[in-house]
Amino acid sequence: MMCYIPKLKHNPPVKGNFLCFFPAVHNVKPECLDAYNKLTEEVLPKLHQDPDYPCDLVGNWNTWYGEQDQAVHLWRFSGGYPALMDCMNKLKNNKEYLAFREERSRMLLSRRNQLLLEFSFWNEPTPRKGPNIYELRTYRLKPGTMIEWGNNWARAIKHRQENQEAVGGFFSQIGELYVVHHLWAYKDLQSREETRKAAWTKRGWDENVYYTVPLVRNMESRVMIPLKISPLQ
Protein backbone atom coordinates (compact mmCIF):
# COMPACT_ATOMS: atom_id res chain seq x y z
CA MET A 1 0.00 0.00 0.00
CA MET A 2 1.55 3.30 -1.10
CA CYS A 3 1.45 6.30 1.18
CA TYR A 4 3.34 8.55 -1.23
CA ILE A 5 3.53 8.89 -4.99
CA PRO A 6 5.62 11.30 -7.04
CA LYS A 7 3.91 14.35 -8.43
CA LEU A 8 1.71 13.33 -11.35
CA LYS A 9 1.47 15.15 -14.66
CA HIS A 10 -1.56 13.61 -16.33
CA ASN A 11 -3.92 11.20 -14.58
CA PRO A 12 -5.09 10.55 -11.02
CA PRO A 13 -3.41 7.51 -9.42
CA VAL A 14 -5.63 4.46 -9.93
CA LYS A 15 -5.06 0.84 -9.03
CA GLY A 16 -3.32 -1.37 -11.58
CA ASN A 17 -6.19 -3.84 -11.78
CA PHE A 18 -9.08 -1.99 -13.39
CA LEU A 19 -11.92 -1.75 -10.89
CA CYS A 20 -15.13 0.07 -11.66
CA PHE A 21 -17.41 1.05 -8.78
CA PHE A 22 -21.10 1.73 -9.17
CA PRO A 23 -22.79 3.61 -6.32
CA ALA A 24 -26.57 3.95 -6.37
CA VAL A 25 -28.33 6.47 -4.13
CA HIS A 26 -32.06 5.94 -3.63
CA ASN A 27 -34.36 8.43 -1.93
CA VAL A 28 -37.18 6.34 -0.51
CA LYS A 29 -40.70 7.35 0.43
CA PRO A 30 -40.60 7.61 4.24
CA GLU A 31 -43.45 5.18 4.73
CA CYS A 32 -41.75 2.61 2.48
CA LEU A 33 -38.26 2.45 3.97
CA ASP A 34 -38.75 -0.77 5.94
CA ALA A 35 -40.38 -2.51 2.97
CA TYR A 36 -37.63 -1.22 0.69
CA ASN A 37 -34.91 -2.59 2.98
CA LYS A 38 -36.62 -5.98 3.23
CA LEU A 39 -37.01 -6.24 -0.54
CA THR A 40 -33.40 -5.18 -1.11
CA GLU A 41 -32.12 -7.74 1.39
CA GLU A 42 -34.01 -10.50 -0.41
CA VAL A 43 -32.80 -9.76 -3.95
CA LEU A 44 -29.36 -8.11 -4.03
CA PRO A 45 -27.42 -10.91 -2.27
CA LYS A 46 -28.50 -13.29 -5.05
CA LEU A 47 -26.67 -11.16 -7.62
CA HIS A 48 -23.67 -10.87 -5.32
CA GLN A 49 -23.44 -14.65 -4.92
CA ASP A 50 -24.21 -15.63 -8.53
CA PRO A 51 -20.94 -16.39 -10.40
CA ASP A 52 -22.61 -15.53 -13.73
CA TYR A 53 -22.80 -11.88 -12.69
CA PRO A 54 -19.37 -10.15 -12.59
CA CYS A 55 -20.28 -7.85 -9.71
CA ASP A 56 -19.79 -7.82 -5.95
CA LEU A 57 -21.56 -5.93 -3.22
CA VAL A 58 -19.16 -3.67 -1.35
CA GLY A 59 -21.63 -2.09 1.05
CA ASN A 60 -25.29 -1.22 1.64
CA TRP A 61 -26.48 1.48 4.01
CA ASN A 62 -29.28 3.73 5.17
CA THR A 63 -28.35 7.34 5.83
CA TRP A 64 -28.56 8.15 9.53
CA TYR A 65 -27.38 11.77 9.47
CA GLY A 66 -27.70 13.65 6.21
CA GLU A 67 -30.56 13.27 3.76
CA GLN A 68 -33.17 11.11 5.45
CA ASP A 69 -34.94 7.95 4.17
CA GLN A 70 -32.05 7.27 1.84
CA ALA A 71 -30.27 4.09 0.78
CA VAL A 72 -26.73 3.89 -0.63
CA HIS A 73 -25.47 0.78 -2.44
CA LEU A 74 -21.88 0.34 -3.61
CA TRP A 75 -20.99 -2.34 -6.20
CA ARG A 76 -17.59 -3.44 -7.52
CA PHE A 77 -16.98 -4.58 -11.10
CA SER A 78 -13.51 -6.12 -11.08
CA GLY A 79 -13.37 -6.38 -14.86
CA GLY A 80 -14.00 -2.69 -15.38
CA TYR A 81 -16.38 -1.46 -18.08
CA PRO A 82 -16.66 -4.83 -19.91
CA ALA A 83 -17.80 -6.49 -16.67
CA LEU A 84 -20.26 -3.69 -16.06
CA MET A 85 -21.79 -4.03 -19.53
CA ASP A 86 -21.93 -7.82 -19.23
CA CYS A 87 -23.85 -7.49 -15.98
CA MET A 88 -26.24 -4.86 -17.31
CA ASN A 89 -27.05 -6.95 -20.39
CA LYS A 90 -27.76 -10.03 -18.28
CA LEU A 91 -30.03 -8.09 -15.95
CA LYS A 92 -32.23 -7.10 -18.91
CA ASN A 93 -33.23 -10.77 -19.16
CA ASN A 94 -33.44 -11.53 -15.45
CA LYS A 95 -37.17 -11.77 -14.74
CA GLU A 96 -36.75 -11.77 -10.97
CA TYR A 97 -34.61 -8.63 -11.08
CA LEU A 98 -37.02 -6.88 -13.44
CA ALA A 99 -39.90 -7.66 -11.09
CA PHE A 100 -37.77 -6.36 -8.20
CA ARG A 101 -37.13 -3.09 -10.03
CA GLU A 102 -40.81 -2.63 -10.79
CA GLU A 103 -41.82 -3.19 -7.18
CA ARG A 104 -38.96 -1.02 -5.94
CA SER A 105 -39.94 1.85 -8.23
CA ARG A 106 -43.21 2.30 -6.34
CA MET A 107 -41.22 2.95 -3.17
CA LEU A 108 -38.82 5.61 -4.53
CA LEU A 109 -38.93 9.37 -4.78
CA SER A 110 -35.75 9.57 -6.86
CA ARG A 111 -32.52 7.74 -7.62
CA ARG A 112 -29.12 8.55 -9.08
CA ASN A 113 -25.80 6.84 -9.75
CA GLN A 114 -22.22 7.36 -10.87
CA LEU A 115 -19.32 5.32 -12.16
CA LEU A 116 -16.20 5.63 -10.02
CA LEU A 117 -12.56 4.60 -10.15
CA GLU A 118 -10.46 3.91 -7.07
CA PHE A 119 -7.44 5.90 -5.90
CA SER A 120 -4.35 3.68 -5.75
CA PHE A 121 -3.17 4.91 -2.36
CA TRP A 122 -6.42 4.16 -0.50
CA ASN A 123 -7.30 0.88 1.18
CA GLU A 124 -9.08 -1.76 -0.87
CA PRO A 125 -12.67 -1.93 0.49
CA THR A 126 -12.96 -5.39 2.05
CA PRO A 127 -15.67 -6.91 4.26
CA ARG A 128 -15.35 -6.02 7.91
CA LYS A 129 -17.15 -7.04 11.07
CA GLY A 130 -19.27 -4.60 12.99
CA PRO A 131 -20.92 -2.92 14.51
CA ASN A 132 -19.64 0.23 12.81
CA ILE A 133 -21.03 3.45 11.50
CA TYR A 134 -19.79 4.72 8.13
CA GLU A 135 -19.17 8.24 6.96
CA LEU A 136 -19.31 9.03 3.26
CA ARG A 137 -17.65 12.38 2.64
CA THR A 138 -18.27 13.80 -0.82
CA TYR A 139 -16.09 16.58 -2.25
CA ARG A 140 -17.04 18.41 -5.44
CA LEU A 141 -13.81 19.82 -6.78
CA LYS A 142 -13.04 22.68 -9.09
CA PRO A 143 -12.49 21.37 -12.65
CA GLY A 144 -8.82 20.63 -13.33
CA THR A 145 -7.82 20.01 -9.71
CA MET A 146 -8.16 16.21 -9.42
CA ILE A 147 -4.43 15.50 -9.87
CA GLU A 148 -3.47 18.05 -7.22
CA TRP A 149 -6.04 16.51 -4.86
CA GLY A 150 -4.60 13.03 -5.45
CA ASN A 151 -1.01 14.17 -4.94
CA ASN A 152 -1.82 15.69 -1.55
CA TRP A 153 -3.95 12.82 -0.29
CA ALA A 154 -1.36 10.23 -1.40
CA ARG A 155 0.99 11.78 1.15
CA ALA A 156 -1.65 12.45 3.82
CA ILE A 157 -3.57 9.17 3.95
CA LYS A 158 -0.93 7.70 6.30
CA HIS A 159 -2.24 10.06 8.99
CA ARG A 160 -5.66 8.35 8.87
CA GLN A 161 -4.66 4.68 8.91
CA GLU A 162 -3.84 3.91 12.53
CA ASN A 163 -7.38 3.00 13.61
CA GLN A 164 -8.25 1.31 10.30
CA GLU A 165 -10.90 3.94 9.70
CA ALA A 166 -10.00 4.41 6.01
CA VAL A 167 -12.27 2.17 3.92
CA GLY A 168 -12.03 3.49 0.36
CA GLY A 169 -11.38 6.52 -1.83
CA PHE A 170 -12.97 7.05 -5.26
CA PHE A 171 -13.38 9.66 -7.97
CA SER A 172 -16.08 9.97 -10.61
CA GLN A 173 -15.65 9.01 -14.26
CA ILE A 174 -19.27 9.14 -15.43
CA GLY A 175 -22.07 11.18 -13.90
CA GLU A 176 -21.22 14.37 -12.05
CA LEU A 177 -17.52 14.93 -12.73
CA TYR A 178 -14.70 16.10 -10.47
CA VAL A 179 -16.37 14.41 -7.51
CA VAL A 180 -14.38 12.56 -4.84
CA HIS A 181 -15.85 10.16 -2.27
CA HIS A 182 -14.00 9.12 0.90
CA LEU A 183 -15.52 6.28 2.91
CA TRP A 184 -14.61 5.92 6.61
CA ALA A 185 -15.62 3.47 9.35
CA TYR A 186 -15.93 4.25 13.06
CA LYS A 187 -17.26 2.38 16.07
CA ASP A 188 -19.56 5.28 16.95
CA LEU A 189 -19.83 9.07 16.73
CA GLN A 190 -17.56 9.57 19.75
CA SER A 191 -14.86 7.44 18.11
CA ARG A 192 -15.25 9.49 14.95
CA GLU A 193 -14.68 12.73 16.85
CA GLU A 194 -11.62 11.40 18.67
CA THR A 195 -10.08 9.93 15.51
CA ARG A 196 -10.53 13.13 13.53
CA LYS A 197 -9.08 15.24 16.34
CA ALA A 198 -6.07 12.93 16.60
CA ALA A 199 -5.19 13.57 12.94
CA TRP A 200 -4.46 17.21 13.77
CA THR A 201 -1.69 16.17 16.16
CA LYS A 202 0.28 14.55 13.32
CA ARG A 203 2.81 16.57 11.41
CA GLY A 204 1.70 17.03 7.81
CA TRP A 205 -2.06 16.69 8.25
CA ASP A 206 -2.56 20.44 8.56
CA GLU A 207 -0.55 20.88 5.35
CA ASN A 208 -2.88 18.52 3.48
CA VAL A 209 -5.93 20.46 4.65
CA TYR A 210 -4.28 23.77 3.77
CA TYR A 211 -3.59 22.70 0.17
CA THR A 212 -6.80 20.78 -0.54
CA VAL A 213 -9.50 23.05 0.90
CA PRO A 214 -9.04 25.66 -1.89
CA LEU A 215 -9.70 22.90 -4.46
CA VAL A 216 -13.22 22.23 -3.13
CA ARG A 217 -16.40 23.85 -4.48
CA ASN A 218 -18.62 22.20 -1.86
CA MET A 219 -18.68 19.11 0.33
CA GLU A 220 -21.18 16.83 2.03
CA SER A 221 -21.06 14.32 4.87
CA ARG A 222 -23.39 11.36 5.36
CA VAL A 223 -23.29 9.12 8.42
CA MET A 224 -24.71 5.73 7.47
CA ILE A 225 -25.83 2.50 9.13
CA PRO A 226 -25.17 -0.80 7.31
CA LEU A 227 -28.05 -3.00 6.15
CA LYS A 228 -28.04 -6.64 7.21
CA ILE A 229 -26.71 -7.74 3.81
CA SER A 230 -23.81 -5.29 3.71
CA PRO A 231 -20.32 -6.89 3.60
CA LEU A 232 -19.19 -3.76 5.43
CA GLN A 233 -20.75 -4.03 8.88
Side-chain angles (χ1 to χ4, degrees), residues 9 25 27 30 32 36 38 42 51 53 65 79 93 99 106 119 157 162 169 171 188 195 200:
K9 296 181 179 179
V25 179
N27 292 311
C32 295
Y36 169 93
K38 182 178 179 181
E42 291 174 355
Y53 288 85
Y65 284 100
N93 298 310
R106 293 190 283 268
F119 285 114
I157 191 64
E162 290 182 3
F171 61 96
D188 49 38
T195 300
W200 287 97

Side-chain angles (χ1 to χ4, degrees), residues 166-183:
V167 178
F170 317 93
F171 61 96
S172 61
Q173 280 288 286
I174 296 178
E176 186 179 1
L177 299 178
Y178 288 98
V179 177
V180 170
H181 300 285
H182 291 174
L183 184 61

Side-chain angles (χ1 to χ4, degrees), residues 208-227:
N208 175 58
V209 174
Y210 177 82
Y211 284 113
T212 56
V213 166
L215 311 180
V216 178
R217 291 188 292 115
N218 60 69
M219 57 187 293
E220 179 182 6
S221 171
R222 291 181 181 86
V223 176
M224 309 182 301
I225 304 297
L227 299 184

Side-chain angles (χ1 to χ4, degrees), residues 39-105:
L39 181 66
T40 296
E41 290 168 350
E42 291 174 355
V43 176
L44 295 191
K46 296 179 183 178
L47 298 178
H48 173 70
Q49 297 164 4
D50 192 332
D52 288 336
Y53 288 85
C55 58
D56 299 297
L57 279 176
V58 176
N60 311 81
W61 303 272
N62 285 148
T63 299
W64 182 25
Y65 284 100
E67 194 164 353
Q68 297 294 281
D69 304 305
Q70 187 177 79
V72 179
H73 306 285
L74 184 61
W75 293 87
R76 177 195 289 114
F77 296 87
S78 298
Y81 296 138
L84 173 66
M85 293 307 301
D86 181 29
C87 189
M88 295 299 104
N89 288 331
K90 288 177 178 176
L91 288 176
K92 292 177 183 178
N93 298 310
N94 185 322
K95 293 182 179 180
E96 182 180 12
Y97 182 76
L98 294 176
F100 158 71
R101 285 194 60 177
E102 183 177 356
E103 184 175 356
R104 185 189 67 185
S105 68

Side-chain angles (χ1 to χ4, degrees), residues 97-215:
Y97 182 76
L98 294 176
F100 158 71
R101 285 194 60 177
E102 183 177 356
E103 184 175 356
R104 185 189 67 185
S105 68
R106 293 190 283 268
M107 304 177 183
L108 299 183
L109 294 170
S110 65
R111 58 194 179 100
R112 67 180 186 275
N113 58 30
Q114 286 180 310
L115 287 180
L116 311 175
L117 299 182
E118 186 180 25
F119 285 114
S120 63
F121 47 84
W122 269 79
N123 297 1
E124 181 74 27
T126 57
R128 65 172 65 194
K129 297 180 180 179
N132 295 293
I133 62 171
Y134 289 81
E135 182 177 15
L136 182 64
R137 296 180 69 89
T138 299
Y139 303 87
R140 295 173 178 87
L141 305 184
K142 298 174 183 178
T145 61
M146 186 66 72
I147 297 172
E148 188 176 353
W149 178 277
N151 286 334
N152 280 285
W153 268 95
R155 294 187 288 269
I157 191 64
K158 61 184 178 181
H159 301 305
R160 298 294 305 275
Q161 298 282 26
E162 290 182 3
N163 297 324
Q164 297 183 330
E165 70 266 23
V167 178
F170 317 93
F171 61 96
S172 61
Q173 280 288 286
I174 296 178
E176 186 179 1
L177 299 178
Y178 288 98
V179 177
V180 170
H181 300 285
H182 291 174
L183 184 61
W184 309 91
Y186 306 101
K187 291 183 178 180
D188 49 38
L189 290 175
Q190 183 63 34
S191 173
R192 172 186 178 273
E193 181 180 10
E194 293 170 357
T195 300
R196 288 174 56 80
K197 282 184 177 179
W200 287 97
T201 67
K202 299 170 184 176
R203 183 177 180 181
W205 177 252
D206 56 345
E207 182 178 337
N208 175 58
V209 174
Y210 177 82
Y211 284 113
T212 56
V213 166
L215 311 180

